[in-house]
Amino acid sequence: MMSTITSRTTDDGVRIYSRLLLQCYDILIYRLLAPYVWRCKSRYFADLYHLMMSRNHADIGVGTGYFLDRCHYQPGEVRIGLFDLQQNCLNFTAARIARFQPETYLCNALEPMPTSAARFDSIALGGILHCIPGDMLQKGAVFDAIRPLMHAGTQVFGYTILNQDITKTMLSRCVYAVLHRLKVINGDQGSAGQLKSALEKRFQNVEVSTVGCIALFSASTPFK
């Protein structure tokens, strides 16, 4: 089931997500690493979800469901699909947003998504790209894999950690090096320019911006 791109595999980026880690994940990522290491406050991610998340939404690489839990929809107003390679993440997020009765799918984001799922109006790829091996052009295979979940009007959005063509601090360099060595982050050649190129090969409308070490992106109207 795993797809090898380099000597690393898609499995490397998800091994660390134990049930214990997920309990402290939100504090570690959104209160510590994002604002102080990557220099991108969590409100940027929250704003992206607020603007882009529809009433018929899928998350690819669900983490803990932090932003889904804080969405502005009420139970019964929204359909949510959860797609992840790590069962712990699926279980944690599904329990957290149980009020929305989410659909869950255990799958590899580099392989075509389950076609049994009805298509979605919005798809979030929040934090999954830096878990996938290879440079950003290779990571772009995930945009091909989600095509079975998309229709012509589907809005795709997300964010990812960069390592090229950004201003780094000593702290961000050190933390990135440690996480890369541990294979939590896979691939150190990613840049916003590569990400934009990968998206523009597949979508007519693309926006990519950077805040600190983070790229925030959105794309719509896939090429046929």
Side-chain angles (χ1 to χ4, degrees), residues 10-11 17 19 27 31-32 34 42 83 111 118 129 132 148 195:
T10 54
D11 201 27
Y17 292 100
R19 284 174 289 184
I27 293 175
R31 296 189 185 181
L32 296 176
S42 61
F83 297 76
E111 298 176 355
L129 290 181
I132 297 173
L195 174 60

Side-chain angles (χ1 to χ4, degrees), residues 37-38 168-181:
V37 176
W38 312 131
K168 305 175 188 177
T169 65
M170 183 62 71
L171 180 58
S172 68
R173 290 177 187 273
C174 291
V175 172
Y176 192 100
V178 170
L179 294 179
H180 190 263
R181 185 175 182 82

Side-chain angles (χ1 to χ4, degrees), residues 86-97:
Q86 170 56 270
Q87 188 68 58
N88 289 336
C89 293
L90 284 176
N91 293 344
F92 188 97
T93 300
R96 185 175 197 170
I97 63 168

Side-chain angles (χ1 to χ4, degrees), residues 69-116:
D69 190 36
R70 287 160 172 74
C71 74
H72 56 281
Y73 296 112
Q74 298 299 315
E77 292 182 345
V78 60
R79 170 194 176 218
I80 297 177
L82 306 176
F83 297 76
D84 206 289
L85 184 60
Q86 170 56 270
Q87 188 68 58
N88 289 336
C89 293
L90 284 176
N91 293 344
F92 188 97
T93 300
R96 185 175 197 170
I97 63 168
R99 65 190 184 277
F100 295 122
Q101 298 181 316
E103 305 165 20
T104 60
Y105 302 89
L106 183 67
C107 57
N108 189 334
L110 293 182
E111 298 176 355
M113 294 288 141
T115 55
S116 60

